Amino acid sequence: MGINNKEKAMDYENRAMTDQLSSKVSRLKSLAFDIDMDTREHNRLLDSMGGDFDSTETFLGGSAGRLSKMLSGGRGNRRVLCYTAGGLVAVFVLFYYVLSRISWGGSVPSAEAPL
């Protein structure tokens, strides 16, 4: 009779451990599926980014070629290029000035510390 109770206790313990193992396996399977889906999504994103970088590289290569032709074209083209570069620098400085005035609330902070 003592052996029968011991076997029942061991059987009950085995079933409980089997249920725990089954739930852990289910969680691992779900986690593996989620990782697989994330990996597929990231691969699609990387593939699309690769195409975007290829098109950007082609665009920049064409722009560099046109710039090279313009620089070798003569004095008039160089003058236009200098005016364009100067205009871009002036626009950048203007934007910086406007944005710095906005972020400071319209006034330049004073160097004196309040008493």
Side-chain angles (χ1 to χ4, degrees), residues 34-54:
D34 290 343
I35 289 172
D36 181 53
M37 294 302 292
D38 283 345
T39 302
R40 289 176 193 263
E41 183 180 332
H42 289 142
N43 282 338
R44 276 194 301 270
L45 176 66
L46 289 173
D47 288 342
S48 70
M49 285 176 64
D52 292 343
F53 280 125
D54 288 342

Side-chain angles (χ1 to χ4, degrees), residues 48-88:
S48 70
M49 285 176 64
D52 292 343
F53 280 125
D54 288 342
S55 65
T56 303
E57 181 182 5
T58 303
F59 174 73
L60 288 177
S63 297
R66 286 190 296 274
L67 182 64
S68 172
K69 284 180 186 177
M70 193 161 99
L71 285 175
S72 65
R75 183 179 175 105
N77 287 338
R78 287 191 192 127
R79 183 176 296 152
V80 169
L81 183 64
C82 285
Y83 287 145
T84 303
L88 288 173

